[in-house]
Amino acid sequence: ASFARARLDLVQLTADVAQAFWRDSDAQERLDLRVPDEGVPPAEGDLDSLAIALRNLVENALRYSTGMVVLEVLPPCTVAVRDDGPGVNAQQLQTLQARHVRHSADVAGYGLGLSIVNTIVGKHGARLELHSPPPGHPRGFEARIVLRPAE
């Protein structure tokens, strides 16, 4: 697929992704968008592929947890998706980015979501950070995409 680097407004990107999920009443009640009060510098990246990555992360969080899911922009150029579900153990955390790896037979899927996110993040020269539990939380799962600021 084509890949274009441009200056991205992460607040607008996350708002667009959240808005698409909020069309569903269940997601509307469970998905919270958090953005900083102060301005966020633009990031460098491909809008369409990053939207795909964020949709995959939010979809996974909604699927594997029953509580709230937070989509958050963190300065300077990071987007995080966090849930309060059961999370995964340290060994599982190391394998989640591989293709066709699934750690639950309870939910249908092909085990490609995080693999796709990892590929998109790699094309951006960015980092995908996975935490279970998220820092400062007793349980759950968090994925962070750490992008480069636009030049």
Side-chain angles (χ1 to χ4, degrees):
S2 64
F3 186 83
R5 291 198 186 273
R7 294 170 65 87
L8 301 176
D9 180 340
L10 294 180
V11 171
Q12 185 64 51
L13 172 63
T14 56
D16 290 345
V17 169
Q19 191 67 36
F21 280 96
W22 287 335
R23 291 183 186 128
D24 175 275
S25 60
D26 180 53
Q28 190 175 41
E29 294 175 10
R30 294 182 50 217
L31 179 61
D32 185 23
L33 175 63
R34 296 182 187 168
V35 297
D37 291 332
E38 66 279 354
V40 175
E44 180 180 282
D46 180 80
L47 178 67
D48 293 333
S49 63
L50 284 172
I52 290 168
L54 286 178
R55 282 194 299 270
N56 279 346
L57 293 174
V58 171
E59 188 174 277
N60 279 351
L62 290 168
R63 179 181 293 152
Y64 291 106
S65 73
T66 57
M68 288 302 295
V69 172
V70 176
L71 173 58
E72 184 172 18
V73 177
L74 303 165
C77 293
T78 299
V79 179
V81 177
R82 182 175 53 257
D83 67 58
D84 61 359
V88 297
N89 64 41
Q91 183 179 4
Q92 292 170 329
L93 192 63
Q94 299 303 315
T95 62
L96 281 178
Q97 297 175 48
R99 293 176 59 147
H100 303 293
V101 170
R102 298 182 62 239
H103 294 293
S104 172
D106 298 336
V107 180
Y110 295 102
L112 292 173
L114 280 176
S115 174
I116 291 169
V117 172
N118 193 43
T119 299
I120 290 169
V121 169
K123 286 188 175 218
H124 281 82
R127 285 190 330 269
L128 176 62
E129 299 176 354
L130 304 177
H131 305 278
S132 186
H137 296 268
R139 57 181 269 139
F141 183 85
E142 179 180 81
R144 288 184 179 198
I145 299 175
V146 183
L147 296 158
R148 289 187 280 185
E151 296 180 6

PDB file of all heavy atoms in Angstrom, residues 117-151:
ATOM      1  N   VAL A 117      -0.510  -3.679  13.409  1.00  0.00           N
ATOM      2  CA  VAL A 117      -0.102  -2.450  14.101  1.00  0.00           C
ATOM      3  C   VAL A 117       1.415  -2.366  14.150  1.00  0.00           C
ATOM      4  O   VAL A 117       2.006  -1.313  13.860  1.00  0.00           O
ATOM      5  CB  VAL A 117      -0.699  -2.398  15.530  1.00  0.00           C
ATOM      6  CG1 VAL A 117      -0.116  -1.236  16.319  1.00  0.00           C
ATOM      7  CG2 VAL A 117      -2.211  -2.309  15.470  1.00  0.00           C
ATOM      8  N   ASN A 118       2.073  -3.447  14.496  1.00  0.00           N
ATOM      9  CA  ASN A 118       3.531  -3.469  14.578  1.00  0.00           C
ATOM     10  C   ASN A 118       4.164  -3.137  13.227  1.00  0.00           C
ATOM     11  O   ASN A 118       5.157  -2.404  13.164  1.00  0.00           O
ATOM     12  CB  ASN A 118       4.005  -4.832  15.085  1.00  0.00           C
ATOM     13  CG  ASN A 118       5.458  -4.829  15.480  1.00  0.00           C
ATOM     14  OD1 ASN A 118       5.926  -3.897  16.131  1.00  0.00           O
ATOM     15  ND2 ASN A 118       6.171  -5.858  15.087  1.00  0.00           N
ATOM     16  N   THR A 119       3.616  -3.664  12.146  1.00  0.00           N
ATOM     17  CA  THR A 119       4.141  -3.375  10.809  1.00  0.00           C
ATOM     18  C   THR A 119       3.981  -1.893  10.472  1.00  0.00           C
ATOM     19  O   THR A 119       4.913  -1.247   9.965  1.00  0.00           O
ATOM     20  CB  THR A 119       3.432  -4.246   9.751  1.00  0.00           C
ATOM     21  OG1 THR A 119       3.696  -5.618  10.052  1.00  0.00           O
ATOM     22  CG2 THR A 119       3.905  -3.924   8.352  1.00  0.00           C
ATOM     23  N   ILE A 120       2.806  -1.335  10.757  1.00  0.00           N
ATOM     24  CA  ILE A 120       2.561   0.082  10.483  1.00  0.00           C
ATOM     25  C   ILE A 120       3.502   0.956  11.298  1.00  0.00           C
ATOM     26  O   ILE A 120       4.093   1.905  10.780  1.00  0.00           O
ATOM     27  CB  ILE A 120       1.081   0.433  10.771  1.00  0.00           C
ATOM     28  CG1 ILE A 120       0.177  -0.224   9.723  1.00  0.00           C
ATOM     29  CG2 ILE A 120       0.873   1.945  10.816  1.00  0.00           C
ATOM     30  CD1 ILE A 120      -1.300  -0.171  10.054  1.00  0.00           C
ATOM     31  N   VAL A 121       3.645   0.642  12.565  1.00  0.00           N
ATOM     32  CA  VAL A 121       4.533   1.411  13.439  1.00  0.00           C
ATOM     33  C   VAL A 121       5.975   1.335  12.924  1.00  0.00           C
ATOM     34  O   VAL A 121       6.685   2.338  12.873  1.00  0.00           O
ATOM     35  CB  VAL A 121       4.421   0.922  14.894  1.00  0.00           C
ATOM     36  CG1 VAL A 121       5.515   1.511  15.774  1.00  0.00           C
ATOM     37  CG2 VAL A 121       3.045   1.264  15.457  1.00  0.00           C
ATOM     38  N   GLY A 122       6.401   0.147  12.510  1.00  0.00           N
ATOM     39  CA  GLY A 122       7.755  -0.018  11.970  1.00  0.00           C
ATOM     40  C   GLY A 122       7.987   0.825  10.732  1.00  0.00           C
ATOM     41  O   GLY A 122       9.067   1.409  10.557  1.00  0.00           O
ATOM     42  N   LYS A 123       7.004   0.918   9.843  1.00  0.00           N
ATOM     43  CA  LYS A 123       7.138   1.742   8.632  1.00  0.00           C
ATOM     44  C   LYS A 123       7.293   3.217   8.973  1.00  0.00           C
ATOM     45  O   LYS A 123       7.832   3.982   8.195  1.00  0.00           O
ATOM     46  CB  LYS A 123       5.937   1.550   7.715  1.00  0.00           C
ATOM     47  CG  LYS A 123       5.954   0.232   6.990  1.00  0.00           C
ATOM     48  CD  LYS A 123       4.843   0.186   5.968  1.00  0.00           C
ATOM     49  CE  LYS A 123       4.974  -1.100   5.185  1.00  0.00           C
ATOM     50  NZ  LYS A 123       4.649  -0.927   3.788  1.00  0.00           N
ATOM     51  N   HIS A 124       6.807   3.608  10.132  1.00  0.00           N
ATOM     52  CA  HIS A 124       6.927   4.991  10.574  1.00  0.00           C
ATOM     53  C   HIS A 124       8.253   5.266  11.292  1.00  0.00           C
ATOM     54  O   HIS A 124       8.513   6.409  11.662  1.00  0.00           O
ATOM     55  CB  HIS A 124       5.769   5.347  11.518  1.00  0.00           C
ATOM     56  CG  HIS A 124       4.497   5.633  10.823  1.00  0.00           C
ATOM     57  ND1 HIS A 124       3.642   4.634  10.405  1.00  0.00           N
ATOM     58  CD2 HIS A 124       3.930   6.803  10.441  1.00  0.00           C
ATOM     59  CE1 HIS A 124       2.613   5.187   9.813  1.00  0.00           C
ATOM     60  NE2 HIS A 124       2.754   6.499   9.814  1.00  0.00           N
ATOM     61  N   GLY A 125       9.047   4.230  11.519  1.00  0.00           N
ATOM     62  CA  GLY A 125      10.258   4.433  12.308  1.00  0.00           C
ATOM     63  C   GLY A 125       9.895   4.799  13.735  1.00  0.00           C
ATOM     64  O   GLY A 125      10.641   5.480  14.429  1.00  0.00           O
ATOM     65  N   ALA A 126       8.729   4.345  14.175  1.00  0.00           N
ATOM     66  CA  ALA A 126       8.220   4.659  15.509  1.00  0.00           C
ATOM     67  C   ALA A 126       8.387   3.439  16.405  1.00  0.00           C
ATOM     68  O   ALA A 126       8.990   2.439  16.011  1.00  0.00           O
ATOM     69  CB  ALA A 126       6.749   5.069  15.401  1.00  0.00           C
ATOM     70  N   ARG A 127       7.829   3.524  17.630  1.00  0.00           N
ATOM     71  CA  ARG A 127       7.904   2.405  18.578  1.00  0.00           C
ATOM     72  C   ARG A 127       6.499   1.996  19.001  1.00  0.00           C
ATOM     73  O   ARG A 127       5.642   2.845  19.223  1.00  0.00           O
ATOM     74  CB  ARG A 127       8.652   2.811  19.850  1.00  0.00           C
ATOM     75  CG  ARG A 127      10.125   2.917  19.730  1.00  0.00           C
ATOM     76  CD  ARG A 127      10.837   3.081  21.090  1.00  0.00           C
ATOM     77  NE  ARG A 127      10.109   3.751  22.152  1.00  0.00           N
ATOM     78  CZ  ARG A 127      10.146   5.055  22.397  1.00  0.00           C
ATOM     79  NH1 ARG A 127      10.864   5.850  21.635  1.00  0.00           N
ATOM     80  NH2 ARG A 127       9.469   5.574  23.409  1.00  0.00           N
ATOM     81  N   LEU A 128       6.309   0.693  19.122  1.00  0.00           N
ATOM     82  CA  LEU A 128       5.094   0.152  19.719  1.00  0.00           C
ATOM     83  C   LEU A 128       5.479  -0.388  21.079  1.00  0.00           C
ATOM     84  O   LEU A 128       6.307  -1.293  21.179  1.00  0.00           O
ATOM     85  CB  LEU A 128       4.499  -0.947  18.842  1.00  0.00           C
ATOM     86  CG  LEU A 128       3.261  -1.661  19.406  1.00  0.00           C
ATOM     87  CD1 LEU A 128       2.112  -0.676  19.596  1.00  0.00           C
ATOM     88  CD2 LEU A 128       2.854  -2.808  18.493  1.00  0.00           C
ATOM     89  N   GLU A 129       4.907   0.186  22.126  1.00  0.00           N
ATOM     90  CA  GLU A 129       5.184  -0.249  23.494  1.00  0.00           C
ATOM     91  C   GLU A 129       3.938  -0.936  24.040  1.00  0.00           C
ATOM     92  O   GLU A 129       2.846  -0.369  23.990  1.00  0.00           O
ATOM     93  CB  GLU A 129       5.541   0.944  24.377  1.00  0.00           C
ATOM     94  CG  GLU A 129       6.776   1.692  23.930  1.00  0.00           C
ATOM     95  CD  GLU A 129       7.050   2.927  24.766  1.00  0.00           C
ATOM     96  OE1 GLU A 129       6.207   3.280  25.631  1.00  0.00           O
ATOM     97  OE2 GLU A 129       8.095   3.548  24.556  1.00  0.00           O
ATOM     98  N   LEU A 130       4.116  -2.148  24.545  1.00  0.00           N
ATOM     99  CA  LEU A 130       3.010  -2.902  25.126  1.00  0.00           C
ATOM    100  C   LEU A 130       3.267  -3.100  26.616  1.00  0.00           C
ATOM    101  O   LEU A 130       4.372  -3.485  27.007  1.00  0.00           O
ATOM    102  CB  LEU A 130       2.872  -4.263  24.438  1.00  0.00           C
ATOM    103  CG  LEU A 130       2.689  -4.242  22.918  1.00  0.00           C
ATOM    104  CD1 LEU A 130       2.640  -5.662  22.369  1.00  0.00           C
ATOM    105  CD2 LEU A 130       1.450  -3.463  22.525  1.00  0.00           C
ATOM    106  N   HIS A 131       2.245  -2.832  27.416  1.00  0.00           N
ATOM    107  CA  HIS A 131       2.366  -2.962  28.872  1.00  0.00           C
ATOM    108  C   HIS A 131       1.157  -3.725  29.408  1.00  0.00           C
ATOM    109  O   HIS A 131       0.021  -3.410  29.056  1.00  0.00           O
ATOM    110  CB  HIS A 131       2.402  -1.592  29.549  1.00  0.00           C
ATOM    111  CG  HIS A 131       3.463  -0.680  29.051  1.00  0.00           C
ATOM    112  ND1 HIS A 131       4.754  -0.751  29.487  1.00  0.00           N
ATOM    113  CD2 HIS A 131       3.423   0.317  28.137  1.00  0.00           C
ATOM    114  CE1 HIS A 131       5.472   0.178  28.868  1.00  0.00           C
ATOM    115  NE2 HIS A 131       4.680   0.831  28.042  1.00  0.00           N
ATOM    116  N   SER A 132       1.415  -4.698  30.262  1.00  0.00           N
ATOM    117  CA  SER A 132       0.331  -5.403  30.942  1.00  0.00           C
ATOM    118  C   SER A 132       0.819  -5.812  32.328  1.00  0.00           C
ATOM    119  O   SER A 132       1.698  -6.665  32.429  1.00  0.00           O
ATOM    120  CB  SER A 132      -0.108  -6.636  30.145  1.00  0.00           C
ATOM    121  OG  SER A 132      -1.238  -7.219  30.730  1.00  0.00           O
ATOM    122  N   PRO A 133       0.331  -5.176  33.356  1.00  0.00           N
ATOM    123  CA  PRO A 133      -0.640  -4.095  33.355  1.00  0.00           C
ATOM    124  C   PRO A 133       0.013  -2.770  32.957  1.00  0.00           C
ATOM    125  O   PRO A 133       1.239  -2.637  32.991  1.00  0.00           O
ATOM    126  CB  PRO A 133      -1.117  -4.052  34.813  1.00  0.00           C
ATOM    127  CG  PRO A 133       0.056  -4.533  35.601  1.00  0.00           C
ATOM    128  CD  PRO A 133       0.728  -5.558  34.730  1.00  0.00           C
ATOM    129  N   PRO A 134      -0.799  -1.775  32.596  1.00  0.00           N
ATOM    130  CA  PRO A 134      -0.258  -0.456  32.275  1.00  0.00           C
ATOM    131  C   PRO A 134       0.413   0.159  33.498  1.00  0.00           C
ATOM    132  O   PRO A 134       0.020  -0.135  34.632  1.00  0.00           O
ATOM    133  CB  PRO A 134      -1.500   0.355  31.882  1.00  0.00           C
ATOM    134  CG  PRO A 134      -2.533  -0.651  31.524  1.00  0.00           C
ATOM    135  CD  PRO A 134      -2.243  -1.848  32.391  1.00  0.00           C
ATOM    136  N   PRO A 135       1.409   1.002  33.283  1.00  0.00           N
ATOM    137  CA  PRO A 135       2.065   1.670  34.416  1.00  0.00           C
ATOM    138  C   PRO A 135       1.038   2.399  35.295  1.00  0.00           C
ATOM    139  O   PRO A 135       0.169   3.101  34.796  1.00  0.00           O
ATOM    140  CB  PRO A 135       3.018   2.668  33.748  1.00  0.00           C
ATOM    141  CG  PRO A 135       3.258   2.113  32.375  1.00  0.00           C
ATOM    142  CD  PRO A 135       1.983   1.414  31.996  1.00  0.00           C
ATOM    143  N   GLY A 136       1.117   2.158  36.597  1.00  0.00           N
ATOM    144  CA  GLY A 136       0.234   2.814  37.548  1.00  0.00           C
ATOM    145  C   GLY A 136      -1.148   2.194  37.674  1.00  0.00           C
ATOM    146  O   GLY A 136      -2.010   2.742  38.343  1.00  0.00           O
ATOM    147  N   HIS A 137      -1.362   1.040  37.022  1.00  0.00           N
ATOM    148  CA  HIS A 137      -2.667   0.373  37.085  1.00  0.00           C
ATOM    149  C   HIS A 137      -2.478  -1.056  37.586  1.00  0.00           C
ATOM    150  O   HIS A 137      -1.497  -1.715  37.232  1.00  0.00           O
ATOM    151  CB  HIS A 137      -3.334   0.360  35.710  1.00  0.00           C
ATOM    152  CG  HIS A 137      -3.660   1.732  35.201  1.00  0.00           C
ATOM    153  ND1 HIS A 137      -4.871   2.329  35.416  1.00  0.00           N
ATOM    154  CD2 HIS A 137      -2.919   2.630  34.504  1.00  0.00           C
ATOM    155  CE1 HIS A 137      -4.871   3.534  34.868  1.00  0.00           C
ATOM    156  NE2 HIS A 137      -3.691   3.739  34.312  1.00  0.00           N
ATOM    157  N   PRO A 138      -3.433  -1.560  38.373  1.00  0.00           N
ATOM    158  CA  PRO A 138      -3.283  -2.907  38.916  1.00  0.00           C
ATOM    159  C   PRO A 138      -3.531  -4.022  37.901  1.00  0.00           C
ATOM    160  O   PRO A 138      -3.073  -5.139  38.072  1.00  0.00           O
ATOM    161  CB  PRO A 138      -4.322  -2.953  40.037  1.00  0.00           C
ATOM    162  CG  PRO A 138      -5.358  -1.951  39.631  1.00  0.00           C
ATOM    163  CD  PRO A 138      -4.608  -0.869  38.890  1.00  0.00           C
ATOM    164  N   ARG A 139      -4.285  -3.723  36.835  1.00  0.00           N
ATOM    165  CA  ARG A 139      -4.582  -4.727  35.810  1.00  0.00           C
ATOM    166  C   ARG A 139      -4.862  -4.018  34.498  1.00  0.00           C
ATOM    167  O   ARG A 139      -5.005  -2.809  34.455  1.00  0.00           O
ATOM    168  CB  ARG A 139      -5.761  -5.599  36.221  1.00  0.00           C
ATOM    169  CG  ARG A 139      -7.027  -4.819  36.506  1.00  0.00           C
ATOM    170  CD  ARG A 139      -8.187  -5.672  36.945  1.00  0.00           C
ATOM    171  NE  ARG A 139      -8.958  -6.068  35.768  1.00  0.00           N
ATOM    172  CZ  ARG A 139      -9.459  -7.272  35.576  1.00  0.00           C
ATOM    173  NH1 ARG A 139      -9.305  -8.195  36.481  1.00  0.00           N
ATOM    174  NH2 ARG A 139     -10.149  -7.553  34.503  1.00  0.00           N
ATOM    175  N   GLY A 140      -4.947  -4.795  33.436  1.00  0.00           N
ATOM    176  CA  GLY A 140      -5.277  -4.224  32.146  1.00  0.00           C
ATOM    177  C   GLY A 140      -4.151  -4.371  31.142  1.00  0.00           C
ATOM    178  O   GLY A 140      -3.159  -5.081  31.367  1.00  0.00           O
ATOM    179  N   PHE A 141      -4.321  -3.686  30.031  1.00  0.00           N
ATOM    180  CA  PHE A 141      -3.386  -3.750  28.917  1.00  0.00           C
ATOM    181  C   PHE A 141      -3.313  -2.368  28.282  1.00  0.00           C
ATOM    182  O   PHE A 141      -4.315  -1.668  28.189  1.00  0.00           O
ATOM    183  CB  PHE A 141      -3.879  -4.772  27.884  1.00  0.00           C
ATOM    184  CG  PHE A 141      -2.941  -4.971  26.733  1.00  0.00           C
ATOM    185  CD1 PHE A 141      -1.894  -5.871  26.834  1.00  0.00           C
ATOM    186  CD2 PHE A 141      -3.105  -4.274  25.553  1.00  0.00           C
ATOM    187  CE1 PHE A 141      -1.015  -6.058  25.774  1.00  0.00           C
ATOM    188  CE2 PHE A 141      -2.237  -4.455  24.486  1.00  0.00           C
ATOM    189  CZ  PHE A 141      -1.198  -5.354  24.604  1.00  0.00           C
ATOM    190  N   GLU A 142      -2.110  -1.990  27.849  1.00  0.00           N
ATOM    191  CA  GLU A 142      -1.919  -0.709  27.174  1.00  0.00           C
ATOM    192  C   GLU A 142      -0.963  -0.880  26.008  1.00  0.00           C
ATOM    193  O   GLU A 142       0.068  -1.552  26.128  1.00  0.00           O
ATOM    194  CB  GLU A 142      -1.358   0.338  28.138  1.00  0.00           C
ATOM    195  CG  GLU A 142      -1.129   1.691  27.478  1.00  0.00           C
ATOM    196  CD  GLU A 142      -0.581   2.707  28.450  1.00  0.00           C
ATOM    197  OE1 GLU A 142       0.633   2.695  28.697  1.00  0.00           O
ATOM    198  OE2 GLU A 142      -1.385   3.504  28.969  1.00  0.00           O
ATOM    199  N   ALA A 143      -1.342  -0.278  24.888  1.00  0.00           N
ATOM    200  CA  ALA A 143      -0.458  -0.206  23.723  1.00  0.00           C
ATOM    201  C   ALA A 143      -0.220   1.269  23.438  1.00  0.00           C
ATOM    202  O   ALA A 143      -1.163   2.065  23.385  1.00  0.00           O
ATOM    203  CB  ALA A 143      -1.107  -0.886  22.522  1.00  0.00           C
ATOM    204  N   ARG A 144       1.054   1.619  23.264  1.00  0.00           N
ATOM    205  CA  ARG A 144       1.426   3.001  22.948  1.00  0.00           C
ATOM    206  C   ARG A 144       2.169   3.034  21.623  1.00  0.00           C
ATOM    207  O   ARG A 144       3.091   2.240  21.400  1.00  0.00           O
ATOM    208  CB  ARG A 144       2.354   3.588  24.011  1.00  0.00           C
ATOM    209  CG  ARG A 144       1.690   3.887  25.309  1.00  0.00           C
ATOM    210  CD  ARG A 144       2.650   4.549  26.268  1.00  0.00           C
ATOM    211  NE  ARG A 144       1.959   4.846  27.523  1.00  0.00           N
ATOM    212  CZ  ARG A 144       2.403   5.708  28.414  1.00  0.00           C
ATOM    213  NH1 ARG A 144       3.533   6.344  28.213  1.00  0.00           N
ATOM    214  NH2 ARG A 144       1.719   5.920  29.506  1.00  0.00           N
ATOM    215  N   ILE A 145       1.762   3.962  20.778  1.00  0.00           N
ATOM    216  CA  ILE A 145       2.493   4.239  19.547  1.00  0.00           C
ATOM    217  C   ILE A 145       3.233   5.549  19.769  1.00  0.00           C
ATOM    218  O   ILE A 145       2.616   6.599  19.968  1.00  0.00           O
ATOM    219  CB  ILE A 145       1.545   4.343  18.338  1.00  0.00           C
ATOM    220  CG1 ILE A 145       0.783   3.039  18.118  1.00  0.00           C
ATOM    221  CG2 ILE A 145       2.344   4.733  17.082  1.00  0.00           C
ATOM    222  CD1 ILE A 145      -0.262   3.101  17.026  1.00  0.00           C
ATOM    223  N   VAL A 146       4.560   5.464  19.766  1.00  0.00           N
ATOM    224  CA  VAL A 146       5.410   6.637  20.003  1.00  0.00           C
ATOM    225  C   VAL A 146       5.979   7.056  18.659  1.00  0.00           C
ATOM    226  O   VAL A 146       6.833   6.374  18.089  1.00  0.00           O
ATOM    227  CB  VAL A 146       6.535   6.301  20.999  1.00  0.00           C
ATOM    228  CG1 VAL A 146       7.365   7.541  21.281  1.00  0.00           C
ATOM    229  CG2 VAL A 146       5.959   5.722  22.292  1.00  0.00           C
ATOM    230  N   LEU A 147       5.485   8.187  18.151  1.00  0.00           N
ATOM    231  CA  LEU A 147       5.862   8.693  16.834  1.00  0.00           C
ATOM    232  C   LEU A 147       6.926   9.771  16.930  1.00  0.00           C
ATOM    233  O   LEU A 147       7.166  10.333  18.004  1.00  0.00           O
ATOM    234  CB  LEU A 147       4.633   9.280  16.138  1.00  0.00           C
ATOM    235  CG  LEU A 147       3.529   8.274  15.823  1.00  0.00           C
ATOM    236  CD1 LEU A 147       2.203   8.982  15.647  1.00  0.00           C
ATOM    237  CD2 LEU A 147       3.905   7.496  14.578  1.00  0.00           C
ATOM    238  N   ARG A 148       7.519  10.075  15.786  1.00  0.00           N
ATOM    239  CA  ARG A 148       8.484  11.153  15.727  1.00  0.00           C
ATOM    240  C   ARG A 148       7.762  12.464  15.480  1.00  0.00           C
ATOM    241  O   ARG A 148       6.801  12.504  14.713  1.00  0.00           O
ATOM    242  CB  ARG A 148       9.483  10.910  14.586  1.00  0.00           C
ATOM    243  CG  ARG A 148      10.437   9.774  14.883  1.00  0.00           C
ATOM    244  CD  ARG A 148      11.484   9.702  13.833  1.00  0.00           C
ATOM    245  NE  ARG A 148      10.901   9.021  12.674  1.00  0.00           N
ATOM    246  CZ  ARG A 148      11.545   8.696  11.592  1.00  0.00           C
ATOM    247  NH1 ARG A 148      12.813   9.007  11.476  1.00  0.00           N
ATOM    248  NH2 ARG A 148      10.955   8.064  10.619  1.00  0.00           N
ATOM    249  N   PRO A 149       8.238  13.540  16.119  1.00  0.00           N
ATOM    250  CA  PRO A 149       7.655  14.861  15.810  1.00  0.00           C
ATOM    251  C   PRO A 149       7.928  15.218  14.353  1.00  0.00           C
ATOM    252  O   PRO A 149       8.955  14.844  13.782  1.00  0.00           O
ATOM    253  CB  PRO A 149       8.391  15.804  16.748  1.00  0.00           C
ATOM    254  CG  PRO A 149       9.009  14.940  17.802  1.00  0.00           C
ATOM    255  CD  PRO A 149       9.252  13.621  17.153  1.00  0.00           C
ATOM    256  N   ALA A 150       7.015  15.979  13.760  1.00  0.00           N
ATOM    257  CA  ALA A 150       7.220  16.447  12.386  1.00  0.00           C
ATOM    258  C   ALA A 150       8.331  17.476  12.376  1.00  0.00           C
ATOM    259  O   ALA A 150       8.522  18.220  13.343  1.00  0.00           O
ATOM    260  CB  ALA A 150       5.927  17.059  11.851  1.00  0.00           C
ATOM    261  N   GLU A 151       9.060  17.500  11.298  1.00  0.00           N
ATOM    262  CA  GLU A 151      10.180  18.462  11.176  1.00  0.00           C
ATOM    263  C   GLU A 151       9.711  19.762  10.621  1.00  0.00           C
ATOM    264  O   GLU A 151       8.740  19.900   9.980  1.00  0.00           O
ATOM    265  CB  GLU A 151      11.258  17.864  10.278  1.00  0.00           C
ATOM    266  CG  GLU A 151      11.866  16.630  10.894  1.00  0.00           C
ATOM    267  CD  GLU A 151      12.941  16.023  10.023  1.00  0.00           C
ATOM    268  OE1 GLU A 151      13.301  16.611   9.000  1.00  0.00           O
ATOM    269  OE2 GLU A 151      13.408  14.949  10.374  1.00  0.00           O
TER     270      GLU A 151
END
